[in-house]
Amino acid sequence: MSEFEVAVGADLRSQAYFALAEAYNLLQLLMDEQLRRDGGVTYVQFVLLAQLAQAPQGRLRMTDLADTVLHSRSGLTYQATRLEAAGLLRRERSEEDERSVTAVITDEGRRRLEQVIPGHQAVVQAGMFDVLSDNQVKELAEKLDAIRTRLRSMVPSSAQRRRG
Amino acid sequence: MSEFEVAVGADLRSQAYFALAEAYNLLQLLMDEQLRRDGGVTYVQFVLLAQLAQAPQGRLRMTDLADTVLHSRSGLTYQATRLEAAGLLRRERSEEDERSVTAVITDEGRRRLEQVIPGHQAVVQAGMFDVLSDNQVKELAEKLDAIRTRLRSMVPSSAQRRRG
DNA sequence: TATTGTTATACTCTATAACTATA
DNA sequence: TATAGTTATAGAGTATAACAATA
C-alpha cells in the first residue's frame, strides 16, 4: 500500500483505484514510446486508426468517431488533418447527408497499423499479463468490463455535451 | 466486446486491456470535472497535494515528488509554481543539501484536499464499485496491484531518464 | 431551427536543453 | 564532474465559440 492511499483512504477500494490509475499511466508511458518508435504515431492516432480499421469498410462518420474516442469534434478534426497529411486516413463527404464527413482508413493506414500492433501487444503482454494466469486474466477482464459498462452510462456523448 | 478489440485481437487479454483503458479514461473524465467543480484543481494537482499530504510533515523533495507522479522536473516546477500561487503549497530550500528544494503542503492545501476528497470518492464509488461485491473488489485489487508492480519495474525513474 | 464539420483562438501542459548553484 | 532545480523555448494537444453549409 503506497502512502498516497493512506491520504485518501487506506481501504481496499482505494487500493484498487490507485492500482488502476498507476497501472494505466505506466502502461500509457510504455505504449506511447513503442508506438512512436515502431510507427511514428501517437496513442490517440493509434486508437483512431484501430477504430476505423474494424469499422465496416474502414469508414466512420466524424461525429461518431469523436464520440467513440471521447474527444471534441474540433479535437478530432485536428487529428484527422494530421493523419490525412500522413496518408493514413482520408475524408469523404457523405452522399446521403451532405453535412456529414466520413473518415476512411487508407491502405497505408492499415499497413501502419499492422506494423505497430505486434510491438503494442508485446508491451501489453509484458506489462499486464506475464504476471497473471489465464484464469486470472479472465476474472480481471470480467470485472473491468462491468466497470467500463457502468462508466459509459455515466458519461454523456459529445453530441449531448454540445447540446447541454 | 467492442469492435476495436477485433482489430487488435479478440482474445481475453485484449478485452482486459481495452476495458482497463476505457475504464480509466472515462473515470479520468468524471474525476477532472468533479475536482475542478469542488476545488478548482486539476487531477495532476490533486495527486501532487495528496502525495504531499501523506508524506512525513507534508514534505517531499522536488525530484522525489517528480518521480512519484511520473513527470519531468520542469513539469513539476510548472505545477509547483501554480500551486504556490494558489497558496496550496510552498517551497523551501533544504538545509542539509543547498541544491535541494522541498515542497511542503500548506494548511490551506490540506483544507482544499479535504474539500474535494468526498466528491472524488463518490465518483470512484459510483463508477467502479457499485457494480462489484466486496470480494470482487478484493480480487480486482490483487490483480491490478500485481500489474502495477510489474510495470513499475519496466519504467525508469526521472533521474535515470536524465542520465540515460 | 437544428446539426455537421471546420476554423480561429486561446490556453494548458509537457519535455528538452541550457543555465545557475551547490556537492 | 555530477546533481538539483529553474527557465527559456517550442511544440502538441484540447476545448469553446463563431462560422458556413446543409437538413
Side-chain angles (χ1 to χ4, degrees):
Chain A
M1 180 174 55
S2 85
E3 295 131 318
F4 184 18
E5 290 155 13
V6 179
V8 189
D11 56 299
L12 264 175
R13 292 175 182 187
S14 292
Q15 283 186 53
Y17 160 64
F18 286 117
L20 174 74
E22 189 176 340
Y24 185 70
N25 285 328
L26 289 167
L27 206 50
Q28 186 85 282
L29 215 64
L30 293 169
M31 292 186 307
D32 270 340
E33 190 197 15
Q34 177 267 321
L35 290 169
R36 208 173 296 267
R37 190 177 58 234
D38 290 357
V41 292
T42 66
Y43 181 73
V44 168
Q45 291 168 346
F46 168 68
V47 171
L48 288 172
L49 291 176
Q51 287 289 349
L52 287 174
Q54 54 66 34
Q57 290 96 42
R59 310 166 66 82
L60 276 175
R61 207 173 62 122
M62 288 289 282
T63 295
D64 296 334
L65 189 51
D67 276 351
T68 307
V69 298
L70 297 172
H71 285 273
S72 68
R73 295 177 181 201
S74 66
L76 177 58
T77 295
Y78 173 83
Q79 292 293 349
T81 302
R82 310 214 120 216
L83 287 169
E84 205 164 37
L88 308 178
L89 170 154
R90 66 172 187 280
R91 279 175 283 186
E92 298 177 356
R93 293 217 89 80
S94 166
E95 293 180 358
E96 310 102 45
D97 186 336
E98 292 268 321
R99 294 172 303 184
S100 289
V101 169
T102 303
V104 189
I105 188 170
T106 62
D107 291 345
E108 196 177 336
R110 288 192 191 269
R111 280 196 295 274
R112 187 72 62 90
L113 202 53
E114 283 164 24
Q115 179 182 325
V116 299
I117 282 177
H120 175 75
Q121 289 181 329
V123 167
V124 174
Q125 174 65 36
M128 287 185 71
F129 299 126
D130 279 357
V131 294
L132 299 180
S133 71
D134 284 352
N135 193 51
Q136 284 177 322
V137 172
K138 179 164 167 286
E139 289 177 5
L140 176 66
E142 284 168 2
K143 291 171 183 69
L144 289 174
D145 189 63
I147 289 169
R148 164 174 57 178
T149 302
R150 165 68 158 181
L151 284 163
R152 274 182 184 163
S153 74
M154 294 171 67
V155 175
S157 72
S158 87
Q160 287 171 328
R161 286 201 298 278
R162 193 182 209 189
R163 288 186 215 107
Chain B
M1 179 172 58
S2 88
E3 296 130 319
F4 184 18
E5 290 154 13
V6 179
V8 188
D11 57 300
L12 264 175
R13 291 175 181 188
S14 291
Q15 282 186 56
Y17 159 63
F18 286 116
L20 174 75
E22 189 176 341
Y24 185 70
N25 285 327
L26 288 166
L27 205 51
Q28 187 84 281
L29 215 64
L30 292 168
M31 291 187 307
D32 271 339
E33 190 198 15
Q34 177 267 321
L35 290 169
R36 208 172 296 267
R37 190 178 58 234
D38 290 358
V41 292
T42 65
Y43 181 72
V44 168
Q45 291 168 345
F46 168 69
V47 171
L48 288 171
L49 291 176
Q51 287 289 350
L52 287 174
Q54 56 65 35
Q57 291 96 42
R59 310 165 65 81
L60 276 175
R61 205 173 63 123
M62 288 290 281
T63 295
D64 296 335
L65 188 51
D67 277 350
T68 308
V69 298
L70 298 173
H71 285 274
S72 67
R73 296 177 180 201
S74 66
L76 177 58
T77 296
Y78 173 82
Q79 292 293 350
T81 303
R82 310 214 120 215
L83 287 168
E84 205 163 38
L88 307 178
L89 170 154
R90 67 172 186 279
R91 278 175 284 187
E92 298 177 356
R93 292 218 89 80
S94 167
E95 293 180 358
E96 312 102 47
D97 185 338
E98 292 267 321
R99 294 171 302 184
S100 288
V101 170
T102 303
V104 189
I105 188 170
T106 62
D107 291 344
E108 196 178 336
R110 288 191 191 269
R111 279 196 295 274
R112 187 71 62 91
L113 202 53
E114 283 164 24
Q115 178 183 324
V116 299
I117 281 176
H120 175 74
Q121 289 180 329
V123 166
V124 175
Q125 175 65 37
M128 287 185 70
F129 300 126
D130 279 357
V131 294
L132 299 180
S133 71
D134 284 352
N135 193 51
Q136 285 177 321
V137 172
K138 179 164 167 286
E139 290 177 3
L140 176 66
E142 285 168 0
K143 292 171 184 68
L144 289 175
D145 189 62
I147 290 169
R148 164 173 58 177
T149 302
R150 164 68 159 181
L151 284 164
R152 275 182 183 164
S153 73
M154 294 171 67
V155 176
S157 73
S158 87
Q160 287 171 328
R161 286 199 300 277
R162 194 183 209 189
R163 288 186 216 106

